[in-house]
Amino acid sequence: MSKSSNKYRFLFAGGGTGGHLFPAVAVAQKIMLIKPEAEIMFIGTKSKIEGKIIPKLGFNFKSIWVSGFSRRFTLKNILFPLKLFISLIQSIIINMKFKPKVAIGSGGYVSGPAIYASDVMGAKIILLEQNIYPGVTTRLLEKYAREIHLSFEDSKKYFKQNEKLRYTGNPVRENLQRIDRNEALKSFNLSPGKKTLLVLGGSLGAASLNKAVAENLNNFYIREIQLIWQTGKNYIDEFKKYSSQKFKILSFIDDMSLAYSACDIVLSRAGGITIAEILKLGVPAILVPSPNVAENHQYLNAKYLFDNGAVLLIEDSKLNSELWNVIKSSIFDDNKLDELRSKALTMAKPEAASIVAESAIKLAEE
């Protein structure tokens, strides 16, 4: 089928981090399930996560020369206008050749020029926003969008064009499922009879989170708490020496279904993907928002869930003083764990990827 005759052509732009990339992947995969004849193109940056992940998943990928604008003065900022101009020209050329019917922007600086170019070339625009406080790219692209899909209802107050907003949830990949707890623990060579804490600091790692966990290893050992600890690739060399029968220490966990199903509670940063996953599976969670993110969005995400009783919350600055008390008062309290599990499930939006995919297909058919 030629491009001119196939109306199901979708362009995706977003990345820089997994939080911006994987919701787009979840929607793309859902579109392919519904419309196997669809053609999909991703635009991203070659050096970032999308440049590694998207080709492996079998989607077409085109790279543009763009980078973010630093909030403090750096030499890189001098190149920013030139990079933005070139990336816009590149994006227009990609759009002219691919001729998308619908373009879906999932945030990150790369989606700015790519989605703007799609609009110029006549594509209908859908935006995905993963955080309560919308990112700068989403805010800049709002006027071009037909639909803006939100992960949090509270985000509505930050937008000007309310008729475009849909409270859909954050799309999560289809293959994330809860499995039998005993089977999951067996895959990590851990005992089903003991409490298990899962620690996630992101793919690179979180220094303060890892340090606080290391300082409490003796408490975990005494109270017989098992540990599945993803340190991130930047920290594995520092912490792998603590690996033991009860403490499984890994740089990265490939199968998150196993990890979530094995644990009684998860200790994690408050990124958009993690939140969507713990809500979907009903995993009790202690969230420690990263202080090193734009507009403090992780804290706003976590605080909203905490205020609704769906998670426990520790501020990064209070991690050392509060961590052990929060863990021991929750992991041994089955009623508390059940309550967190139940509240998380009531706030979940497991159909998000399907809703966005169906919206995109409907717009393509107009």
Side-chain angles (χ1 to χ4, degrees):
M1 189 181 285
S2 70
K3 280 189 173 59
S4 57
S5 64
N6 187 357
K7 62 186 172 186
Y8 300 112
R9 292 190 308 282
F10 303 94
L11 184 142
F12 286 82
T17 66
H20 290 307
L21 178 65
F22 289 113
V25 169
V27 174
Q29 289 175 332
K30 186 58 78 171
I31 287 173
M32 292 305 295
L33 276 176
I34 301 169
K35 292 284 179 190
E37 72 270 30
E39 294 175 53
I40 287 174
M41 168 81 71
F42 275 80
I43 292 183
T45 312
K46 202 183 292 181
S47 61
K48 298 292 184 181
I49 185 171
E50 61 270 24
K52 301 174 184 73
I53 297 287
I54 294 303
K56 282 184 186 171
L57 292 173
F59 292 114
N60 289 326
F61 177 75
K62 295 286 183 188
S63 177
I64 59 175
W65 191 52
V66 68
S67 62
F69 188 82
S70 176
R71 284 166 172 77
R72 58 183 186 276
F73 179 78
T74 67
L75 289 174
K76 281 183 181 176
N77 281 354
I78 296 169
L79 277 175
F80 179 76
L82 175 64
K83 284 189 169 187
L84 187 61
F85 177 73
I86 290 174
S87 66
L88 191 53
I89 300 299
Q90 290 173 316
S91 297
I92 288 171
I93 292 167
I94 292 165
N95 273 276
M96 284 175 71
K97 288 181 177 175
F98 184 62
K99 299 182 178 66
K101 288 285 188 178
V102 178
I104 297 145
S106 57
Y109 51 78
V110 74
S111 66
I115 296 299
Y116 176 73
S118 295
D119 178 73
V120 167
M121 298 308 298
K124 300 174 185 93
I125 307 301
I126 292 175
L127 300 179
L128 310 179
E129 179 51 57
Q130 297 86 28
N131 300 302
I132 281 194
Y133 187 73
V136 64
T137 313
T138 304
R139 298 198 305 274
L140 288 170
L141 293 171
E142 177 184 2
K143 59 187 165 200
Y144 306 111
R146 289 282 289 268
E147 298 179 3
I148 303 170
H149 292 263
L150 308 176
S151 299
F152 295 91
E153 200 162 15
D154 256 27
S155 300
K156 288 179 178 177
K157 61 190 175 195
Y158 299 112
F159 289 92
K160 293 169 186 160
Q161 297 171 295
N162 264 33
E163 71 282 358
K164 297 179 176 182
L165 305 179
R166 314 275 188 275
Y167 171 39
T168 307
N170 198 2
V172 177
R173 57 190 185 272
E174 188 82 12
N175 62 358
L176 186 80
Q177 301 291 340
R178 187 172 274 284
I179 59 172
D180 180 73
R181 179 178 180 267
N182 289 357
E183 284 299 312
L185 283 164
K186 198 169 154 188
S187 73
F188 290 101
N189 290 318
L190 292 171
S191 165
K194 293 184 169 63
K195 293 288 185 177
T196 303
L197 172 70
L198 171 63
V199 180
L200 302 173
S203 57
L204 297 176
S208 57
L209 205 60
N210 283 329
K211 190 166 177 287
V213 168
E215 286 174 0
N216 279 285
L217 289 176
N218 199 44
N219 288 326
F220 300 151
Y221 183 78
I222 291 166
R223 295 297 300 270
E224 296 198 316
I225 295 172
Q226 300 176 135
L227 202 56
I228 303 168
W229 181 5
Q230 178 185 280
T231 62
K233 66 177 184 181
N234 291 349
Y235 297 96
I236 187 66
D237 290 340
E238 185 179 347
F239 296 107
K240 65 183 177 187
K241 62 189 175 193
Y242 299 118
S243 199
S244 68
Q245 183 63 40
K246 289 181 184 173
F247 302 155
K248 306 301 176 184
I249 302 177
L250 311 151
S251 65
F252 188 73
I253 298 169
D254 288 313
D255 192 335
M256 288 307 301
S257 295
L258 284 173
Y260 285 131
S261 300
C263 77
D264 293 281
I265 197 164
V266 59
L267 172 68
S268 175
R269 289 304 197 197
I273 290 182
T274 302
I275 285 174
E277 290 178 345
I278 64 174
L279 295 182
K280 178 184 176 180
L281 297 184
V283 183
I286 303 163
L287 297 183
V288 184
S290 170
N292 311 311
V293 293
E295 284 102 13
N296 203 23
H297 68 254
Q298 285 204 8
Y299 177 76
L300 295 173
N301 294 349
K303 183 71 165 61
Y304 178 75
L305 297 176
F306 174 75
D307 289 344
N308 282 277
V311 301
L312 302 174
L313 172 62
I314 305 175
E315 290 180 43
D316 195 80
S317 59
K318 298 173 183 172
L319 194 50
N320 290 332
S321 58
E322 293 184 4
L323 181 61
W324 175 236
N325 284 334
V326 174
I327 289 172
K328 73 178 179 184
S329 64
S330 56
I331 200 167
F332 297 110
D333 185 342
D334 289 339
N335 290 334
K336 181 70 179 169
L337 294 176
D338 286 342
E339 190 182 319
L340 288 168
R341 199 174 288 120
S342 171
K343 287 278 172 63
L345 287 168
T346 62
M347 295 189 75
K349 294 276 190 176
E351 299 304 313
S354 292
I355 292 166
V356 179
E358 282 160 14
S359 281
I361 290 165
K362 195 174 172 187
L363 286 176
E365 291 170 343
E366 282 184 2

